[in-house]
């Protein structure tokens, strides 16, 4: 896992849901950022206490700074060609 600081605007209000046992909150939202003339989107998930803070304080269009750990979601597609959805 790698550390990263992201800066951007929330594209929607955070979605909150709970683990199967109902005790661990998870907040999920999209963060928009500018890269030259293009707008990019990053899917962000927060867990436990941080998810509760996100739910209380972050709303759509709010400028946000996120210190995050990035997990590479590597996968293999046709003909065993590796694919990745991590940031570059």
């Amino acid at each position: 896992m790698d550390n990263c600081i992201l800066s951007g605007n929330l594209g929607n209000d955070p979605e909150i849901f709970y683990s199967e046992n109902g005790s661990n909150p998870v907040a999920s939202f999209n963060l928009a950022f500018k890269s030259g003339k293009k707008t990019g989107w990053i899917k962000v998930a927060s867990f436990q206490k941080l998810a509760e803070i996100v739910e209380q304080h972050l709303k759509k269009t709010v400028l946000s700074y996120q210190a995050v750990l990035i997990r590479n979601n590597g996968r293999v597609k046709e003909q065993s060609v590796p694919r990745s959805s991590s940031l570059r």
Side-chain angles (χ1 to χ4, degrees):
M1 289 202 198
D2 296 316
N3 291 322
C4 180
I5 296 178
L6 305 172
S7 172
N9 292 64
L10 272 66
N12 53 359
D13 288 344
E15 296 177 16
I16 307 300
F17 55 95
Y18 292 85
S19 61
E20 290 180 10
N21 63 11
S23 63
N24 294 319
V26 178
S28 176
F29 58 92
N30 293 314
L31 189 68
F33 66 95
K34 289 286 187 184
S35 179
K37 294 182 179 181
K38 294 183 179 181
T39 299
W41 292 90
I42 298 172
K43 182 81 170 173
V44 179
S46 302
F47 304 92
Q48 299 177 347
K49 183 66 176 171
L50 184 56
E52 293 171 354
I53 293 168
V54 164
E55 179 182 28
Q56 292 172 357
H57 298 286
L58 297 183
K59 300 295 178 207
K60 182 178 178 177
T61 71
V62 169
L63 179 62
S64 177
Y65 294 93
Q66 307 291 320
V68 299
L69 293 175
I70 297 177
R71 180 180 59 215
N72 184 345
N73 293 328
R75 58 196 182 277
V76 176
K77 290 251 179 171
E78 297 174 22
Q79 301 172 353
S80 298
V81 177
R83 305 282 184 196
S84 176
S85 61
S86 65
L87 296 174
R88 289 190 173 84

